[in-house]
Structure formats: C-alpha cells, structure tokens
C-alpha cells in the first residue's frame, strides 16, 4: 500500500542566476510527526521552505503538501498550512486577544466562532491572564506562543516553523518546545528549521540534513548519531603531550583528532566497535602520554552535523 506523506518532494531544483540553491532535493515527512530540516547557512533550507509553502516555484521536480501539488494547486496547499517565521507576525499595539481575533477574521472566521477560537487558543498556550495586555509588553516566549496560536486558528495540517526559538532564553525555549510537542501529539505535522542542534535532537522524530541543495542524510536523531560511531576523548596531564596523544588517537581511530591545548583535551570519532577504552589507555601509555582522564561516549548531534556537512557555516545568501 502506498504511503501517504504530509510533505513529499522529489528532485526539487531551483536556481537564482548563477546560484544553484536546490539540486534535486528529496524530502518525505509522515503525518503527525516533527521533521527537523538542518543544514549550514546557504544549504537551501529557506528556498525549500519557500517552495513548499507556495511562495516560490521550483525550476524542476515535484512537491506535495497535505496531499496537494504546490505548483498545480497552490491555493489548496495554502488552505492546509500555516507558517511562522523568525520575527513573528503579531501586532505589538494590539492585545493578545485582539491579535487572535484579527487573524481569525483574516482567515474568514466570523462572529462568536472567531472569539471562541481565540479564547480557546489563549487558554491552550497559557496566555489567558495576559490576553488583554498589548503584545508589546509580552516576553519573547509569550510573543512566540501568541504567534503559534495565530497559526493554529484554522487547525492546519502542516505547520512550518522557521527558527522558532531564536533569541529566546532557556525557559522560554522550553515552553515553545512543549507547545510543539503538544501540536504533534494532536496530529499536526511540523517541519522545523533551526540552528539549535539540541532543539532538533529534543523535538524531531526524524531529521533531514541538507547541504549544497541536496539531501545528504536522513534518520532519527539516534540513527544519525550511529553514523559516526563513538567519541574517544582524553585529557592529558601535560599540555606538551597533546600532539603525541593526537597521533595515537588518529592511528587508532583512522580519524583526524581534534585538539585543545589550553584545556589539554584530544578527541576523535571511531566506528570500530572493537576499539575499547582499555586499549586506548594502553596505547597512550606505551607512547609515553601522561593521562589525566579518558572516556568513550556517543556523539552529539552537533558533532554528527559537522561530520556530515564537512564544513563550517558561511553567511547565507539572501536568495537561498
């Protein structure tokens, strides 16, 4: 039986002059899940989201959102989605309640239905006590929750979240994470772009990593972490021994070691399950490297991301 996806793209390509923003992007997001779309600046995330939300047309390839083709039936797509950007869309001079009722009217909810829906969302996002205060008096987290509430006035099938917690403090970020989890549990499909790898690790059911306009890896956070094996990390007792330790770890793991002379640390990735910590310690001892500490751990998503993309982020071109 054919699988139905909430978001499905195949071979999406898009060029802006000499810039190839997308080079055959494939994406498949099951309904009712959170998908984290990750990539360095300039990887094509913004272009992909603009195409999926019908704000831009692909040069080639196909995309369907909530069952509708984004090129052939953009109006139907727009009726099934909601989008919230980094800056939000609420009016600071209006109260929270007025903002939601305004958005309700714009989405053709009228009379008591608009008021009831606005009040229900204010309660759902814990904004009832602040409902009659101007939105400009809200904290960053409250404004983001109000923006999310505005997106949900017509219960979209797919919600696109672009950097939803940029600039928020840890507590406010946690509140937004709780809201996103609740949306997914209620059946909304969420496509999340974020620069916070911890955010993707905490929220995403599946992650799609893109670079140079192509999909380069997909999987759950745990599946992606297994792609680069384990991390061997040591602390040497003498900073002068860092380079020697790096040579030993590099030879053992077959991966370039990362060194921090100031903190006397050396680390490397290993995909060899037979490489045990006792063996690492023995080899370092044989090489005359004085150890202060040694450990083996699972890689973080940040480390997976850097390994997969093989480059540091550069300023993203405005078009992509």
């Amino acid at each position: 039986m054919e699988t139905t996806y909430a978001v499905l793209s195949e071979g999406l390509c898009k060029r802006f002059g000499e810039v190839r923003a997308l080079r055959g992007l494939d994406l498949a997001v099951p309904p009712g899940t959170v998908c984290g779309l990750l990539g360095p600046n300039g990887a094509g995330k913004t272009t992909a989201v603009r195409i999926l939300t019908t704000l831009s047309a692909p040069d080639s390839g196909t995309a369907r959102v909530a069952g509708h083709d984004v090129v052939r039936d953009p109006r139907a797509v727009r009726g099934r989605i909601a989008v919230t950007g980094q800056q939000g869309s609420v009016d600071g001079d209006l109260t929270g309640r007025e903002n939601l009722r305004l958005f309700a009217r714009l989405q053709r909810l009228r009379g008591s239905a608009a008021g009831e829906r606005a009040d229900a969302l204010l309660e759902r996002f814990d904004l009832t006590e602040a409902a009659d205060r101007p939105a400009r008096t809200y904290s960053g987290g409250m404004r983001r929750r109000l923006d999310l509430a505005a997106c949900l006035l017509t219960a979209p099938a797919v919600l696109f979240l672009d950097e939803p917690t940029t600039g928020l403090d840890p507590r406010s970020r946690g509140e937004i994470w709780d809201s996103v989890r609740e949306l997914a549990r209620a059946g909304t499909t969420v496509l999340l772009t974020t620069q916070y790898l911890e955010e993707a690790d905490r929220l995403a059911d599946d992650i799609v990593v893109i670079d140079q306009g192509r999909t380069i890896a997909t999987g759950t956070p745990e599946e992606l972490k297994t792609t680069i094996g384990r991390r061997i990390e040591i602390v040497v007792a003498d900073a002068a021994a860092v380079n020697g330790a790096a040579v030993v770890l590099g030879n053992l793991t077959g991966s370039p070691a990362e060194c921090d002379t100031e903190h006397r640390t050396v680390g490397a990735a290993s995909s060899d399950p037979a490489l045990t910590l006792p063996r690492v310690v023995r080899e370092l001892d044989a090489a005359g490297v004085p150890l202060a500490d040694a450990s083996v751990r699972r890689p973080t998503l940040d480390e997976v991301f850097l390994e997969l993309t093989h480059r540091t982020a550069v300023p993203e071109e405005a078009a992509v």
Side-chain angles (χ1 to χ4, degrees):
M1 185 175 70
E2 182 179 355
T3 302
T4 300
Y5 291 100
V7 179
L8 178 66
S9 73
E10 296 178 316
L12 283 185
C13 294
K14 184 69 175 180
R15 180 189 291 272
F16 297 95
E18 296 300 314
V19 178
R20 295 179 65 189
L22 295 180
R23 307 170 186 236
L25 181 70
D26 297 323
L27 186 65
V29 184
T33 63
V34 179
C35 177
L37 184 63
L38 308 181
N41 290 332
K45 301 186 301 296
T46 299
T47 299
V49 170
R50 286 183 61 84
I51 290 173
L52 294 172
T53 56
T54 76
L55 296 176
S56 182
D59 295 332
S60 61
T62 62
R64 296 179 68 84
V65 176
H68 300 281
D69 189 285
V70 298
V71 173
R72 296 176 182 173
D73 201 357
R75 185 170 182 177
V77 172
R78 292 170 195 150
R80 303 297 309 281
I81 68 172
V83 184
T84 177
Q86 297 180 37
Q87 303 303 318
S89 55
V90 299
D91 188 324
D93 291 329
L94 299 179
T95 67
R97 195 186 310 277
E98 289 169 341
N99 265 288
L100 291 189
R101 290 185 174 179
L102 172 62
F103 280 107
R105 289 196 296 273
L106 291 174
Q107 296 183 48
R108 300 182 180 179
L109 291 177
R110 294 288 184 263
S112 61
E116 290 171 2
R117 183 64 177 155
D119 290 346
L121 287 167
L122 288 166
E123 182 175 357
R124 177 177 179 179
F125 285 92
D126 196 24
L127 292 169
T128 301
E129 291 186 6
D132 296 312
R133 284 169 35 199
R136 66 173 179 272
T137 68
Y138 287 12
S139 67
M142 293 170 68
R143 286 179 68 99
R144 294 303 282 167
R145 296 206 308 276
L146 182 61
D147 199 47
L148 275 176
C151 288
L152 298 177
L153 283 162
T154 55
V158 182
L159 175 62
F160 292 86
L161 293 180
D162 183 20
E163 309 285 350
T165 62
T166 297
L168 298 185
D169 60 69
R171 180 176 180 179
S172 296
R173 186 173 297 138
E175 292 172 348
I176 296 300
W177 291 354
D178 289 342
S179 297
V180 173
R181 291 189 189 100
E182 182 182 345
L183 293 176
R185 284 195 297 268
T188 299
T189 303
V190 179
L191 185 66
L192 165 76
T193 68
T194 179
Q195 295 290 346
Y196 298 118
L197 278 297
E198 180 192 7
E199 185 163 84
D201 202 355
R202 295 279 193 93
L203 289 179
D205 298 295
D206 292 290
I207 289 174
V208 176
V209 184
I210 68 174
D211 197 12
Q212 306 288 339
R214 296 188 182 95
T215 300
I216 61 171
T218 62
T220 68
E222 291 306 309
E223 287 171 344
L224 291 180
K225 289 174 187 178
T226 65
T227 62
I228 64 171
R230 301 166 300 160
R231 290 281 302 177
I232 311 292
E233 294 193 341
I234 65 171
V235 181
V236 297
D238 183 350
V242 165
N243 289 338
V247 171
V248 173
L249 273 194
N251 289 336
L252 285 171
T253 63
S255 301
E258 300 158 9
C259 304
D260 183 337
T261 303
E262 180 182 355
H263 296 96
R264 298 180 285 111
T265 61
V266 182
S270 172
S271 59
D272 182 1
L275 182 58
T276 63
L277 189 58
R279 180 185 170 193
V280 171
V281 172
R282 285 197 303 270
E283 294 290 338
L284 289 167
D285 184 59
V289 176
L291 275 182
D293 193 19
S295 64
V296 178
R297 64 170 176 80
R298 294 286 301 279
T300 66
L301 196 57
D302 297 68
E303 290 163 341
V304 173
F305 178 82
L306 292 174
E307 177 71 16
L308 289 171
T309 56
H310 296 292
R311 65 186 175 94
T312 56
V314 296
E316 186 171 5
E317 298 185 45
V320 299

